[in-house]
Amino acid sequence: AQSVTQLGSHVSVSEGALVLLRCNYSSSVPPYLFWYVQYPNQGLQLLLKYTTGATLVKGINGFEAEFKKSETSFHLTKPSAHMSDAAEYFCAVSPYDKIIFGKGTRLHILP
Amino acid sequence: NAGVTQTPKFQVLKTGQSMTLQCAQDMNHEYMSWYRQDPGMGLRLIHYSVGAGITDQGEVPNGYNVSRSTTEDFPLRLLSAAPSQTSVYFCASSRGTAPGDEQFFGPGTRLTVL
């Protein structure tokens, strides 16, 4: 069965510091992987996705993620955190016609 | 394009009442789905549809009905509301059912069942 595990339900980083949000997946078929972001009182919006090809994927707002098949990971990074990055982030895997979300990681930015 | 719209934004129900959450999209998307979001649980799929006239159950379908008579609309019906259905509900759509298709989300409906 396909699943997604996000390590850490809450992550705090200082403004200007590196952001690292961890995601591991389980999939019996080559996965399609996503990161979505949810700002307060809003729906989810796509940050980036991996389908095939280059394993380092760049998304919006300076975020990027690297697909590592050997580690079954798809961690999200941003070199320098900004206050506007405070939100909840969801990793997701889509093996077939459904998309399976992780439980989310809330990112807090400290001034 | 308005994208995915949901009404109402907020709703309070009493146990046993029924209601319909509305969802519409103007992107001519074939795939539509309903999720509920609860603290610490992420998003859980309730029902989905791969096209007009076709619906299927997701992970947590009990207590909910759906229908898809048009491409644009995908209403979610609560038959007899229970406090366990207190949640935030999101409707989403995507162009197709290919695994890499991006899902577009509505702004959500916050439902409280007393």
Side-chain angles (χ1 to χ4, degrees), chain A residues 13-84:
Chain A
V13 301
S14 297
E15 191 173 19
L18 171 73
V19 175
L20 171 61
L21 303 182
R22 298 178 189 274
C23 172
N24 288 88
Y25 69 90
S26 168
S27 178
S28 56
V29 297
Y32 293 80
L33 296 159
F34 305 80
W35 276 100
Y36 282 83
V37 61
Q38 184 182 31
Y39 297 105
N41 299 314
Q42 294 186 25
L44 279 70
Q45 63 182 85
L46 183 68
L47 263 183
L48 50 81
K49 67 178 181 181
Y50 169 78
T51 53
T52 58
T55 57
L56 182 63
V57 181
K58 293 187 187 301
I60 61 172
N61 300 337
F63 284 92
E64 60 184 36
E66 187 170 11
F67 169 60
K68 291 188 176 180
K69 185 177 177 181
S70 61
E71 298 178 8
T72 61
S73 69
F74 191 56
H75 301 331
L76 181 71
T77 60
K78 181 174 180 177
S80 177
H82 192 273
M83 296 300 289
S84 61

XYZ file of all heavy atoms in Angstrom, chain A residues 13-84:
569
model
N 12.104 27.319 12.657
C 13.410 27.783 12.186
C 13.453 29.300 12.326
O 12.412 29.976 12.302
C 13.696 27.385 10.719
C 13.652 25.884 10.554
C 12.747 28.065 9.769
N 14.643 29.822 12.446
C 14.806 31.274 12.523
C 14.742 31.878 11.126
O 15.112 31.233 10.129
C 16.147 31.626 13.171
O 16.193 31.157 14.499
N 14.291 33.108 11.068
C 14.256 33.794 9.777
C 15.670 33.851 9.212
O 16.626 34.170 9.935
C 13.704 35.212 9.964
C 13.382 35.924 8.656
C 12.682 37.263 8.874
O 12.768 37.801 9.998
O 12.087 37.769 7.920
N 15.812 33.470 7.939
C 17.127 33.451 7.295
C 17.827 32.114 7.369
O 18.819 31.886 6.661
N 17.336 31.213 8.194
C 17.957 29.891 8.337
C 17.417 28.922 7.292
O 16.394 29.171 6.634
C 17.706 29.340 9.736
N 18.105 27.788 7.182
C 17.693 26.751 6.249
C 16.384 26.091 6.710
O 16.217 25.785 7.889
C 18.784 25.673 6.155
C 18.436 24.404 5.385
C 18.388 24.687 3.890
C 19.447 23.294 5.695
N 15.499 25.861 5.758
C 14.285 25.108 6.028
C 14.469 23.698 5.478
O 14.878 23.528 4.319
C 13.058 25.752 5.343
C 11.814 24.879 5.525
C 12.810 27.147 5.889
N 14.189 22.694 6.322
C 14.227 21.294 5.881
C 12.999 20.597 6.440
O 12.855 20.454 7.650
C 15.496 20.601 6.369
C 15.558 19.078 6.167
C 15.473 18.715 4.692
C 16.827 18.498 6.787
N 12.118 20.160 5.560
C 10.934 19.406 5.965
C 11.062 18.015 5.348
O 11.243 17.877 4.150
C 9.651 20.096 5.477
C 9.462 21.543 5.929
C 8.129 22.086 5.427
C 9.564 21.679 7.434
N 10.922 17.007 6.209
C 11.230 15.641 5.774
C 9.974 14.869 5.367
O 8.929 14.969 6.016
C 11.939 14.889 6.900
C 13.261 15.507 7.293
C 13.907 14.756 8.445
N 15.064 15.457 8.958
C 16.283 15.330 8.468
N 16.517 14.499 7.456
N 17.289 16.001 8.998
N 10.140 14.081 4.310
C 9.040 13.256 3.813
C 9.614 11.940 3.315
O 10.539 11.933 2.509
C 8.301 13.961 2.680
S 7.072 12.951 1.825
N 9.062 10.844 3.791
C 9.387 9.523 3.267
C 8.107 8.879 2.749
O 7.037 9.068 3.310
C 10.025 8.648 4.352
C 11.424 9.100 4.678
O 11.627 9.955 5.540
N 12.391 8.545 3.975
N 8.246 8.115 1.695
C 7.066 7.523 1.071
C 7.245 6.023 0.954
O 8.357 5.494 1.019
C 6.836 8.142 -0.308
C 7.886 7.743 -1.304
C 7.736 6.606 -2.090
C 9.057 8.478 -1.429
C 8.722 6.214 -2.974
C 10.055 8.091 -2.299
C 9.881 6.960 -3.070
O 10.870 6.572 -3.931
N 6.120 5.387 0.764
C 6.111 3.958 0.450
C 5.221 3.772 -0.770
O 4.079 4.238 -0.765
C 5.556 3.165 1.640
O 5.278 1.846 1.273
N 5.774 3.140 -1.800
C 4.983 2.934 -3.006
C 5.477 1.698 -3.730
O 6.685 1.518 -3.882
C 5.075 4.159 -3.921
O 4.346 3.951 -5.119
N 4.548 0.905 -4.190
C 4.912 -0.330 -4.893
C 5.150 -0.084 -6.378
O 5.605 -0.971 -7.093
C 3.815 -1.382 -4.715
O 2.577 -0.858 -5.154
N 4.846 1.107 -6.840
C 5.075 1.467 -8.239
C 5.849 2.779 -8.249
O 5.890 3.477 -7.228
C 3.747 1.623 -9.013
C 3.009 0.298 -9.053
C 2.889 2.711 -8.398
N 6.481 3.117 -9.375
C 7.184 4.410 -9.412
C 6.249 5.531 -9.012
O 5.178 5.696 -9.593
C 7.612 4.522 -10.877
C 7.735 3.107 -11.330
C 6.664 2.345 -10.602
N 6.636 6.308 -8.017
C 5.696 7.289 -7.473
C 5.748 8.637 -8.171
O 6.756 9.010 -8.740
C 6.175 7.442 -6.031
C 7.669 7.308 -6.164
C 7.886 6.287 -7.269
N 4.638 9.331 -8.114
C 4.619 10.746 -8.404
C 4.491 11.446 -7.049
O 3.639 11.085 -6.255
C 3.447 11.107 -9.313
C 3.580 10.521 -10.691
C 3.258 9.192 -10.948
C 4.057 11.292 -11.752
C 3.395 8.642 -12.212
C 4.200 10.760 -13.007
C 3.864 9.434 -13.235
O 4.005 8.891 -14.486
N 5.326 12.418 -6.792
C 5.426 13.027 -5.466
C 5.160 14.519 -5.536
O 5.539 15.181 -6.501
C 6.816 12.766 -4.873
C 7.115 11.290 -4.619
C 8.613 11.055 -4.540
C 6.439 10.822 -3.342
N 4.526 15.018 -4.499
C 4.117 16.414 -4.460
C 4.435 17.025 -3.089
O 4.468 16.324 -2.087
C 2.590 16.539 -4.651
C 2.048 15.893 -5.879
C 1.823 14.524 -5.909
C 1.745 16.643 -6.999
C 1.308 13.905 -7.049
C 1.221 16.033 -8.143
C 1.007 14.667 -8.151
N 4.626 18.329 -3.093
C 4.536 19.126 -1.876
C 3.486 20.205 -2.113
O 3.524 20.922 -3.117
C 5.875 19.784 -1.526
C 6.802 18.902 -0.767
C 7.858 18.189 -1.255
C 6.798 18.659 0.637
N 8.499 17.503 -0.259
C 7.869 17.785 0.924
C 6.010 19.096 1.703
C 8.160 17.334 2.220
C 6.291 18.662 2.979
C 7.365 17.787 3.235
N 2.548 20.281 -1.154
C 1.537 21.322 -1.163
C 1.739 22.192 0.070
O 2.197 21.723 1.114
C 0.132 20.729 -1.106
C -0.381 20.179 -2.424
C -0.034 18.906 -2.838
C -1.219 20.945 -3.237
C -0.513 18.394 -4.039
C -1.704 20.442 -4.440
C -1.340 19.167 -4.828
O -1.812 18.669 -6.014
N 1.315 23.455 -0.024
C 1.380 24.372 1.110
C -0.025 24.898 1.394
O -0.828 25.107 0.480
C 2.358 25.547 0.836
C 1.930 26.371 -0.373
C 2.485 26.450 2.061
N -0.298 25.046 2.681
C -1.590 25.603 3.105
C -1.345 26.782 4.034
O -0.844 26.607 5.151
C -2.431 24.538 3.809
C -3.822 25.029 4.196
C -4.616 23.975 4.939
O -4.077 23.136 5.651
N -5.924 23.985 4.746
N -1.693 27.973 3.574
C -1.619 29.154 4.426
C -2.880 29.212 5.288
O -3.906 28.629 4.933
C -1.447 30.398 3.570
C -0.157 30.387 2.798
C -0.134 30.127 1.424
C 1.071 30.607 3.440
C 1.047 30.091 0.720
C 2.252 30.559 2.732
C 2.236 30.300 1.387
O 3.420 30.243 0.675
N -2.819 29.910 6.408
C -3.963 29.933 7.336
C -5.278 30.272 6.648
O -5.351 31.215 5.849
C -3.553 31.007 8.347
C -2.066 30.968 8.339
C -1.670 30.673 6.919
N -6.283 29.460 6.949
C -7.650 29.659 6.459
C -7.755 29.626 4.932
O -8.620 30.290 4.345
C -8.215 30.983 6.978
C -8.266 31.001 8.487
O -8.708 30.037 9.111
N -7.765 32.059 9.087
N -6.871 28.885 4.296
C -6.929 28.748 2.850
C -6.874 27.281 2.454
O -6.589 26.410 3.287
C -5.770 29.489 2.183
C -5.826 31.001 2.360
C -4.742 31.700 1.563
O -4.251 31.191 0.558
N -4.354 32.889 2.014
N -7.156 27.017 1.188
C -6.984 25.668 0.659
C -5.518 25.399 0.371
O -4.655 26.235 0.598
N -5.247 24.201 -0.133
C -3.877 23.824 -0.444
C -3.503 24.321 -1.835
O -4.348 24.371 -2.735
C -3.723 22.293 -0.421
C -3.556 21.644 0.943
C -4.826 21.699 1.749
C -3.096 20.194 0.768
N -2.225 24.644 -2.007
C -1.740 24.980 -3.346
C -0.436 24.250 -3.596
O 0.348 24.013 -2.663
C -1.592 26.487 -3.540
C -0.586 27.158 -2.639
C -0.543 28.672 -2.858
O -1.319 29.419 -2.286
N 0.361 29.104 -3.710
N -0.207 23.918 -4.847
C 0.950 23.122 -5.210
C 2.228 23.943 -5.108
O 2.323 25.039 -5.646
C 0.783 22.596 -6.637
C 1.887 21.674 -7.144
C 1.862 20.350 -6.394
C 1.736 21.432 -8.643
N 3.222 23.387 -4.400
C 4.559 23.989 -4.346
C 5.442 23.444 -5.459
O 6.132 24.191 -6.145
C 5.232 23.637 -3.023
C 5.204 24.610 -1.859
C 6.012 24.034 -0.709
C 5.750 25.974 -2.262
N 5.448 22.120 -5.576
C 6.267 21.469 -6.596
C 5.843 20.015 -6.709
O 5.139 19.500 -5.843
C 7.766 21.553 -6.256
C 8.209 21.141 -4.855
C 8.346 19.644 -4.723
C 9.535 21.816 -4.501
N 6.291 19.385 -7.817
C 5.984 17.977 -7.983
C 7.115 17.280 -8.738
O 7.828 17.895 -9.532
C 4.666 17.769 -8.727
C 4.674 18.204 -10.182
C 3.326 17.898 -10.830
C 3.315 18.310 -12.300
N 1.994 18.028 -12.933
N 7.259 15.997 -8.451
C 8.182 15.145 -9.177
C 7.365 14.105 -9.932
O 6.538 13.404 -9.348
C 9.153 14.432 -8.219
C 9.928 13.346 -8.906
C 11.026 13.643 -9.715
C 9.538 12.003 -8.800
C 11.711 12.649 -10.378
C 10.225 11.004 -9.461
C 11.299 11.338 -10.252
O 11.975 10.351 -10.919
N 7.623 14.012 -11.236
C 6.975 12.958 -12.022
C 8.051 12.021 -12.556
O 8.199 10.899 -12.106
C 6.124 13.550 -13.151
O 6.920 14.445 -13.932
C 4.938 14.320 -12.585
N 8.826 12.466 -13.524
C 9.947 11.683 -14.013
C 11.071 12.652 -14.352
O 10.887 13.869 -14.332
C 9.582 10.900 -15.292
O 9.159 11.832 -16.287
C 8.483 9.889 -15.040
N 12.249 12.102 -14.661
C 13.339 12.967 -15.093
C 14.199 13.443 -13.941
O 14.501 12.687 -13.014
N 14.570 14.707 -13.990
C 15.499 15.272 -13.012
C 14.976 15.065 -11.600
O 13.813 15.339 -11.303
C 15.710 16.765 -13.277
N 15.870 14.615 -10.731
C 15.442 14.283 -9.374
C 15.394 15.493 -8.457
O 14.784 15.434 -7.395
C 16.378 13.224 -8.766
O 17.719 13.722 -8.806
C 16.286 11.914 -9.538
N 16.046 16.589 -8.840
C 15.965 17.830 -8.059
C 14.905 18.706 -8.716
O 15.036 19.107 -9.866
C 17.317 18.534 -8.029
C 17.364 19.824 -7.205
C 17.077 19.531 -5.740
C 18.717 20.509 -7.365
N 13.873 18.988 -7.956
C 12.732 19.717 -8.498
C 12.646 21.083 -7.840
O 12.710 21.184 -6.611
C 11.417 18.945 -8.223
C 10.235 19.692 -8.801
C 11.491 17.537 -8.784
N 12.511 22.101 -8.645
C 12.376 23.465 -8.104
C 10.910 23.864 -8.144
O 10.193 23.566 -9.114
C 13.234 24.427 -8.911
C 14.723 24.172 -8.747
C 15.557 25.242 -9.417
C 17.039 24.897 -9.387
N 17.572 24.728 -8.019
N 10.495 24.550 -7.084
C 9.114 24.976 -7.017
C 8.998 26.482 -6.850
O 9.934 27.233 -7.094
N 7.826 26.892 -6.383
C 7.589 28.320 -6.194
C 8.199 28.791 -4.883
O 8.492 27.980 -3.988
C 6.081 28.643 -6.234
C 5.340 27.905 -5.118
C 5.498 28.285 -7.593
C 3.888 28.318 -4.961
N 8.376 30.094 -4.773
C 8.836 30.740 -3.534
C 10.194 30.238 -3.054
O 10.473 30.293 -1.853
C 7.796 30.550 -2.410
C 6.443 31.145 -2.764
O 6.350 32.041 -3.600
N 5.398 30.649 -2.141
N 11.050 29.759 -3.961
C 12.410 29.363 -3.604
C 12.544 27.982 -3.007
O 13.634 27.600 -2.567
N 11.484 27.216 -2.957
C 11.550 25.859 -2.424
C 12.033 24.877 -3.487
O 11.807 25.075 -4.677
C 10.175 25.409 -1.923
C 9.781 26.015 -0.609
C 9.048 27.188 -0.551
C 10.167 25.408 0.583
C 8.698 27.751 0.652
C 9.812 25.954 1.797
C 9.076 27.137 1.839
N 12.679 23.817 -3.026
C 13.044 22.729 -3.901
C 13.009 21.419 -3.127
O 12.995 21.428 -1.880
C 14.418 22.934 -4.550
C 15.565 23.051 -3.592
C 16.872 23.341 -4.342
O 16.846 24.073 -5.360
O 17.911 22.834 -3.900
N 12.941 20.315 -3.854
C 12.899 19.002 -3.224
C 13.684 18.035 -4.096
O 13.753 18.183 -5.319
C 11.464 18.520 -3.056
N 14.280 17.054 -3.438
C 15.063 16.065 -4.167
C 14.477 14.678 -3.968
O 14.279 14.233 -2.828
C 16.526 16.073 -3.718
C 17.408 15.162 -4.575
C 18.882 15.335 -4.297
O 19.239 16.004 -3.309
O 19.680 14.791 -5.084
N 14.204 14.004 -5.075
C 13.709 12.635 -5.037
C 14.898 11.698 -4.909
O 15.796 11.696 -5.757
C 12.932 12.324 -6.320
C 12.583 10.875 -6.514
C 11.798 10.208 -5.580
C 13.026 10.169 -7.629
C 11.465 8.872 -5.750
C 12.703 8.839 -7.814
C 11.924 8.191 -6.868
N 14.916 10.913 -3.822
C 15.982 9.936 -3.619
C 15.340 8.557 -3.510
O 14.816 8.189 -2.451
C 16.787 10.259 -2.359
C 17.621 11.525 -2.482
C 18.552 11.704 -1.291
C 19.437 12.917 -1.475
N 20.346 13.117 -0.322
N 15.416 7.818 -4.598
C 14.751 6.518 -4.646
C 15.345 5.555 -3.625
O 14.614 4.808 -2.962
C 14.882 5.931 -6.052
C 14.123 4.646 -6.261
C 14.247 4.183 -7.695
C 13.535 2.852 -7.899
N 13.670 2.372 -9.295
N 16.667 5.572 -3.464
C 17.316 4.627 -2.550
C 16.900 4.865 -1.110
O 16.911 3.943 -0.290
C 18.840 4.736 -2.681
O 19.259 6.045 -2.336
N 16.563 6.091 -0.792
C 16.147 6.430 0.576
C 14.630 6.576 0.683
O 14.139 6.866 1.777
C 16.810 7.749 1.004
C 18.328 7.679 1.028
C 18.964 9.011 1.396
O 18.248 9.958 1.778
O 20.215 9.103 1.282
N 13.902 6.376 -0.395
C 12.446 6.617 -0.479
C 12.087 7.934 0.199
O 11.179 7.997 1.045
C 11.629 5.445 0.114
O 11.957 5.280 1.508
C 11.881 4.161 -0.626
N 12.810 8.984 -0.176
C 12.581 10.280 0.456
C 12.325 11.355 -0.583
O 12.707 11.228 -1.755
C 13.781 10.679 1.325
O 14.910 10.959 0.513
N 11.681 12.414 -0.129
C 11.387 13.570 -0.980
C 11.346 14.788 -0.066
O 10.327 15.434 0.129
C 10.056 13.358 -1.707
C 9.775 14.352 -2.811
C 10.659 14.530 -3.860
C 8.597 15.093 -2.819
C 10.400 15.423 -4.884
C 8.309 15.989 -3.839
C 9.216 16.158 -4.861
N 12.487 15.137 0.510
C 12.562 16.221 1.491
C 12.482 17.583 0.813
O 13.040 17.803 -0.271
C 13.859 16.133 2.290
C 14.032 14.842 3.030
N 12.968 14.096 3.494
C 15.165 14.163 3.396
C 13.424 13.013 4.114
N 14.752 13.033 4.053
N 11.842 18.513 1.485
C 11.642 19.872 0.977
C 12.631 20.813 1.651
O 12.782 20.759 2.882
C 10.210 20.337 1.276
C 9.809 21.723 0.793
C 9.672 21.740 -0.733
C 8.486 22.138 1.436
N 13.288 21.658 0.871
C 14.256 22.591 1.438
C 14.073 23.989 0.864
O 13.521 24.168 -0.231
C 15.710 22.138 1.178
O 15.924 22.066 -0.240
C 16.000 20.793 1.806
N 14.559 24.943 1.648
C 14.664 26.335 1.192
C 15.865 26.921 1.905
O 15.987 26.795 3.129
C 13.397 27.127 1.510
C 13.460 28.571 1.031
C 12.137 29.287 1.225
C 12.248 30.724 0.740
N 10.963 31.468 0.843
N 16.779 27.560 1.173
C 18.036 28.006 1.787
C 17.850 29.032 2.899
O 18.576 29.017 3.885
C 18.818 28.617 0.615
C 18.198 28.043 -0.612
C 16.754 27.800 -0.282
N 16.873 29.927 2.760
C 16.738 31.022 3.703
C 15.262 31.270 3.985
O 14.522 31.709 3.105
C 17.395 32.284 3.119
O 17.218 33.389 3.975
N 14.852 31.005 5.214
C 13.442 31.131 5.572
C 13.008 32.585 5.658
O 13.765 33.464 6.107
C 13.193 30.447 6.916
N 11.771 32.798 5.264
C 11.165 34.129 5.347
C 9.908 34.015 6.193
O 9.277 32.963 6.248
C 10.823 34.620 3.928
C 10.455 36.060 3.857
N 9.170 36.507 4.048
C 11.211 37.153 3.632
C 9.149 37.817 3.939
N 10.367 38.238 3.688
N 9.557 35.109 6.837
C 8.358 35.078 7.708
C 7.132 34.601 6.950
O 6.262 33.917 7.503
C 8.085 36.454 8.308
C 9.161 36.970 9.254
S 9.422 35.892 10.679
C 7.922 36.182 11.612
N 7.045 34.922 5.669
C 5.875 34.550 4.876
C 5.811 33.050 4.585
O 4.809 32.578 4.036
C 5.871 35.326 3.552
O 7.032 35.015 2.809
